[in-house]
Amino acid sequence: MAICRLRASLSLLKTKSPFFHHVPLHGFSSSQLSSQFESVGFIGLGNMGSRMANNLIKNGYKVAVHDINCNVMRMFSDMGVPTKETPFEVAEASDVVITMLPSSSHVLDVYTGPKGLLRCTNPMRPQLLIDSSTIDPQTSRKVSVAVSNCILKEKKGYWEKPVMLDAPVSGGVLAAEAGTLTFMVGGSEDAYLAAEPLFLSMGKNAIYCGGGGTGSAAKICNNLALAVSMLGVSEAFVLGQSLGISAGTLTKVLNTSSARCWSSDSYNPVPGVMEGVPASRNYAGGFASKLMAKDLNLAATSAKEGGLQCPLTYQAQEIYTELCKDGHESKDFSCVFRHYYGGQDEL
């Protein structure tokens, strides 16, 4: 971890950035770099966020949390984790704040609402704010600008002003539990390098995507491709079963042939084929269909705004919207195999 932080400091010293003071190399020790983000605030303790926060705690960070769900707050309090009543109180107690929220409107409220993180009439403590929510790139950029207009209560080391990174994740609940998420990060590259140890405490990959909003853009593109691949795999299994091929046999074919993908070899949608995935527990847990529908809405909106022809995006959006209307919004998105296509359990 210290090596990662040293790498971050070297980058900061080599690159001119409006966010950082530039000081001689001897101005930083590995212990100073290790302690710059000792206190971490985490807001949004749903299926993903609660597991991400737990991994930060396991890796030795001092974590304070907030969520509107009183039960999950009580769960963390019972573990001895400080809980805060508002996002602003989290900011007051933290060097860095991570948010994991359901939608763009939630992000705007948590950051810029009356009890939000920024409260720019007052200087703020956190040097860094990281939003891991899946939202539209435009909102990510809007919040990033609002953060950059704030001032720090105390300038620490090379930080001149607070900085925001958009850093949505891929991997789902299983990866959040195991600490193997992939982070797609947009914003200042210097800030990304400084935050890398945090990302690697919750995941196994952190990929720098570019300026503000590019992390959010990468995520909606990833989930668009995931939704389309899940639909294709589900159709293939339904057709295969109707033609007399068992799902288990077809899985072996797909996973050793050109159709192999994450939806077939790691997240198979057919009950009875693979253990440990939502399909093996009646599509409970995992990534809810309503969230996939939301992400496809983001992708479709971005495509329309860009004047792009994306027929598969719009078709996938329609299918998942219909799935939710049929009452399956809380089921994992792989339930499309059974509930939309009428697929059977493994034959």
Side-chain angles (χ1 to χ4, degrees):
M1 187 177 287
I3 292 173
C4 291
R5 291 189 172 94
L6 183 57
R7 176 186 168 199
S9 69
L10 290 172
S11 173
L12 295 171
L13 293 167
K14 291 177 182 177
T15 309
K16 287 191 173 183
S17 165
F19 302 116
F20 303 103
H21 289 296
H22 299 286
V23 299
L25 180 60
H26 58 73
F28 296 100
S29 68
S30 59
S31 61
Q32 286 176 311
L33 290 166
S34 298
S35 64
Q36 64 173 318
F37 296 141
E38 273 188 349
S39 299
V40 180
F42 205 105
I43 299 174
L45 302 169
N47 287 333
M48 297 291 292
S50 60
R51 290 162 171 82
M52 293 164 68
N54 275 330
N55 281 325
L56 288 170
I57 294 167
K58 290 175 184 176
N59 278 279
Y61 289 99
K62 300 174 183 176
V63 179
V65 300
H66 169 74
D67 195 277
I68 59 173
N69 186 322
C70 295
N71 291 330
V72 74
M73 287 272 278
R74 188 178 303 111
M75 180 184 74
F76 274 85
S77 179
D78 290 345
M79 292 165 50
V81 177
T83 58
K84 304 297 179 181
E85 293 298 317
T86 67
F88 181 70
E89 290 180 21
V90 173
E92 289 287 276
S94 308
D95 300 316
V96 57
V97 177
I98 301 170
T99 51
M100 187 60 161
L101 302 163
S103 69
S104 298
S105 61
H106 292 94
V107 171
L108 288 170
D109 183 58
V110 163
Y111 278 81
T112 62
K115 297 180 181 180
L117 291 167
L118 302 189
R119 290 276 295 274
C120 289
T121 53
N122 297 308
M124 61 188 301
R125 175 180 169 179
Q127 304 108 290
L128 180 63
L129 299 108
I130 299 171
D131 181 39
S132 288
S133 315
T134 298
I135 61 174
D136 61 281
Q138 294 81 3
T139 298
S140 291
R141 294 180 180 120
K142 178 180 179 179
V143 176
S144 180
V145 170
V147 169
S148 69
N149 287 332
C150 294
I151 61 173
L152 286 174
K153 180 178 294 186
E154 179 184 355
K155 294 181 180 179
K156 297 182 180 180
Y158 44 76
W159 296 84
E160 286 187 344
K161 60 170 69 175
V163 186
M164 180 182 174
L165 295 172
D166 49 285
V169 302
S170 179
V173 173
L174 296 178
E177 181 85 36
T180 57
L181 293 167
T182 291
F183 287 83
M184 303 156 234
V185 188
S188 159
E189 187 172 10
D190 290 340
Y192 158 73
L193 289 169
E196 198 170 27
L198 283 168
F199 295 134
L200 297 181
S201 293
M202 299 177 283
K204 66 177 181 180
N205 298 301
I207 301 169
Y208 180 66
C209 299
T214 58
S216 294
K219 177 58 188 294
I220 62 175
C221 291
N222 178 82
N223 279 21
L224 162 62
L226 172 60
V228 171
S229 72
M230 182 58 76
L231 296 179
V233 166
S234 295
E235 285 192 13
F237 278 120
V238 169
L239 177 60
Q241 288 178 320
S242 73
L243 295 173
I245 309 171
S246 74
T249 299
L250 188 54
T251 295
K252 294 176 183 177
V253 172
L254 295 181
N255 291 344
T256 55
S257 303
S258 55
R260 183 181 63 83
C261 63
W262 192 78
S263 297
S264 67
D265 72 1
S266 299
Y267 214 77
N268 198 289
V270 184
V273 171
M274 183 177 294
E275 294 182 3
V277 297
S280 69
R281 50 178 185 269
N282 196 28
Y283 302 103
F287 187 65
S289 294
K290 64 181 178 181
L291 296 179
M292 181 57 83
K294 181 207 77 172
D295 293 354
L296 288 166
N297 289 337
L298 294 175
T301 298
S302 295
K304 288 175 182 176
E305 289 176 350
L308 301 175
Q309 296 296 320
C310 297
L312 294 180
T313 299
Y314 305 134
Q315 184 65 39
Q317 177 193 27
E318 182 180 326
I319 289 172
Y320 274 99
T321 299
E322 182 176 329
L323 189 70
C324 292
K325 288 180 179 177
D326 287 344
H328 306 298
E329 61 178 15
S330 63
K331 295 282 190 179
D332 180 76
F333 79 105
S334 61
C335 79
V336 72
F337 163 76
R338 176 185 284 169
H339 297 294
Y340 185 84
Y341 290 109
Q344 308 168 43
D345 290 2
E346 184 181 10
L347 298 176

